[in-house]
Amino acid sequence: MNKFIPLSEPNIGQKEISYVQKALRSGWVSSLGRYVEKFENDFAKYCGRRYGVSVSNGTMALHLTLMALGISKGDEVIVPNFAFVAVANTVTYTGSKAVPVDIEPDTWNIDPQKIERKITKRTRAIIIVHNYGHPADVDPILKIAKKYNLFVIEDAAEAHGAEYKGKKVGKFGNISCFSFYGNKIITTGEGGMCLTDDENLYKRMMLLRDHGMRKEKKYWHEVIGYNYRLTNLQAALGCAQLEKINEFIKIKRRNAKLYKKLLKNLPWITLPVEKKYAKNIYWMFSILINNDMGYNRDLIIKKLKKANIDSRVFFYPISDLPPYKNKVKDKDLEVSKKIAYRGLNLPSSTKLTSREIKYICQILKNLCQ
Ligand SMILES: Cc1ncc(COP(=O)(O)O)c(C=O)c1O
């Protein structure tokens, strides 16, 4: 039996250990310390933005963003119907309503053609998610946002370093959000970041992140704030990981190329795309199982497991999840409903070897002969 092949695992080396040790030895173990600011500045620079606000995780990044933009009760926010649930949940935290929009059949990202019909007088923002590492089609969305005077929030939790028309994602939103959870391109264990070019939004996020208190006036709480801070230890890990991000992306793309080559002639599998405008970083190498040809995704997952290969189902459509099911009356969500139940993430770690990829593809081929 081969060694277990995980879906994903962090790629931690000597550099990470050394930076975290330095942070530990400095005594700055909470959210003060030189690594926090360094990580914020370096990550913002990497994405081509002016300001970075680090936070405890990607969910808090979204929540902080929505609060900084003043989204609240009575407002509506457009979200893709296919995305990790934090996107809809954080909208719900603010008392506003998440309005799901269907996705494109090939990129699995929000369909710009279907956004306009969901805009009402209450709509304040559109959240763009770059699912599984492929950028959404940003330009038409920015055009719609401009026409209706809406904020654009990018959720690039799954797409660090992916590019849209030659620019890194996270460059386009009024505020852009990232997660550094253990399975992300770079990790801080738990962690997240908001990026913006707007000084006022930056100041607002800094205020809300730290109990509504400014650095210059300790213990004077101007507004009800939160503790959403990242620690210096986590930031130290982030700084080391950021130095390796281009290498990680190169490996992800190389692995995807091999997967695509080995799986390309299987008619029961749909492979992930890379549109002309995109640089896909293949955060998760993801495929669709063409059920209509008699193959069953859940059975394939079980069979892979028997061969010691980890895999994962796609996110369920937000409109099918219990907290949202009765609130979403919309019938035009067919693409997301079809894709979500056919999708499968295959092992995607940067530590994956080409031998392992060949083994996984061979097992897949054998399963369905
Ligand atoms: C698109 C997206 N947004 C938000 C999050 C939430 O990030 P976190 O798990 O760091 O809270 C995730 C997490 O995987 C995600 O994939």
Side-chain angles (χ1 to χ4, degrees):
M1 189 72 143
N2 71 298
K3 186 172 128 259
F4 175 70
I5 306 176
L7 183 76
S8 169
E9 60 182 326
N11 197 333
I12 307 286
Q14 266 316 311
K15 190 177 293 232
E16 284 80 355
I17 292 168
S18 150
Y19 284 17
V20 173
Q21 275 180 343
K22 269 191 204 153
L24 275 169
R25 291 206 177 96
S26 75
W28 297 104
V29 293
S30 298
S31 52
L32 297 176
R34 74 175 192 92
Y35 282 113
V36 176
E37 244 180 76
K38 178 169 168 50
F39 185 45
E40 290 174 339
N41 291 338
D42 290 357
F43 193 73
K45 193 167 167 204
Y46 175 76
C47 296
R49 301 229 69 165
R50 282 180 74 190
Y51 303 105
V53 179
S54 60
V55 288
S56 2
N57 56 58
T59 307
M60 302 297 87
L62 284 164
H63 190 212
L64 191 68
T65 293
L66 290 159
M67 289 190 295
L69 294 173
I71 309 280
S72 62
K73 195 160 189 263
D75 294 336
E76 291 178 4
V77 177
I78 303 259
V79 301
N81 195 39
F82 177 70
F84 183 61
V85 72
V87 175
N89 283 352
T90 48
V91 173
T92 310
Y93 298 167
T94 66
S96 57
K97 186 177 162 199
V99 178
V101 166
D102 209 6
I103 57 168
E104 297 176 324
D106 51 358
T107 66
W108 314 325
N109 288 320
I110 194 164
D111 187 340
Q113 308 278 349
K114 295 187 177 176
I115 292 178
E116 225 166 331
R117 66 185 82 147
K118 300 289 177 65
I119 293 174
T120 70
K121 276 187 199 141
R122 292 168 183 258
T123 311
R124 299 279 317 282
I126 302 171
I127 302 185
I128 304 176
V129 182
H130 308 295
N131 277 318
Y132 298 136
H134 191 291
D137 192 3
V138 176
D139 276 350
I141 301 173
L142 293 179
K143 214 167 157 189
I144 294 167
K146 196 166 175 200
K147 181 171 165 192
Y148 293 92
N149 198 22
L150 306 176
F151 293 118
V152 171
I153 300 163
E154 265 185 282
D155 183 344
E158 302 171 10
H160 314 171
E163 290 176 16
Y164 178 76
K165 297 188 178 170
K167 285 188 188 145
K168 292 215 170 53
V169 300
K171 174 77 186 151
F172 305 98
N174 294 88
I175 303 177
S176 304
C177 302
F178 292 82
S179 161
F180 304 118
Y181 184 71
N183 63 10
K184 297 301 187 289
I185 297 281
I186 62 166
T187 185
T188 57
E190 294 277 357
M193 183 97 71
C194 301
L195 301 182
T196 187
D197 292 334
D198 182 320
E199 192 180 356
N200 289 330
L201 287 176
Y202 167 68
K203 286 184 176 163
R204 185 84 189 151
M205 287 192 283
M206 291 295 271
L207 187 74
L208 290 168
R209 181 185 74 171
D210 196 8
H211 298 289
M213 181 176 79
R214 289 187 201 281
K215 258 191 191 159
E216 312 83 58
K217 195 165 177 181
K218 289 275 178 213
Y219 300 104
W220 180 254
H221 304 278
E222 277 179 45
V223 291
I224 295 176
Y226 300 79
N227 175 0
Y228 282 177
R229 300 178 306 245
L230 188 78
T231 70
N232 197 43
L233 300 180
Q234 292 169 310
L237 179 51
C239 285
Q241 288 266 288
L242 187 55
E243 289 181 29
K244 299 177 177 175
I245 192 167
N246 290 332
E247 184 57 26
F248 291 159
I249 290 170
K250 227 191 245 170
I251 298 170
K252 291 269 192 194
R253 286 178 58 78
R254 191 183 66 208
N255 288 349
K257 198 169 164 193
L258 183 57
Y259 264 128
K260 282 189 173 185
K261 185 176 147 204
L262 297 173
L263 297 175
K264 75 169 185 242
N265 292 324
L266 301 183
W268 50 276
I269 286 181
T270 301
L271 292 169
V273 296
E274 180 169 53
K275 299 286 262 200
K276 271 212 176 95
Y277 58 68
K279 177 178 178 184
N280 189 348
I281 52 95
Y282 300 97
W283 167 59
M284 287 279 159
F285 189 81
S286 309
I287 58 173
L288 302 182
I289 305 299
N290 303 335
N291 293 351
D292 49 346
M293 299 187 72
Y295 298 102
N296 177 299
R297 177 196 63 178
D298 296 343
L299 198 63
I300 289 172
I301 291 177
K302 275 192 195 146
K303 290 187 173 179
L304 286 171
K305 198 171 174 191
K306 265 200 182 149
N308 238 357
I309 300 165
D310 201 10
S311 60
R312 193 177 84 172
V313 294
F314 268 21
F315 306 122
Y316 292 92
I318 286 166
S319 59
D320 283 2
L321 298 175
Y324 298 101
K325 197 172 167 55
N326 295 329
K327 293 187 186 136
V328 182
K329 302 277 179 259
D330 193 355
K331 296 277 170 278
D332 184 20
L333 297 167
E334 287 313 307
V335 179
S336 43
K337 288 183 181 241
K338 268 191 201 141
I339 301 286
Y341 291 95
R342 290 171 47 208
L344 180 64
N345 306 127
L346 293 175
S348 301
S349 162
T350 50
K351 289 165 115 179
L352 201 62
T353 63
S354 30
R355 224 171 127 237
E356 286 172 323
I357 295 175
K358 283 177 192 158
Y359 171 71
I360 294 162
C361 295
Q362 195 53 51
I363 293 284
L364 277 169
K365 283 180 194 170
N366 294 347
L367 287 183
C368 298
Q369 262 166 9

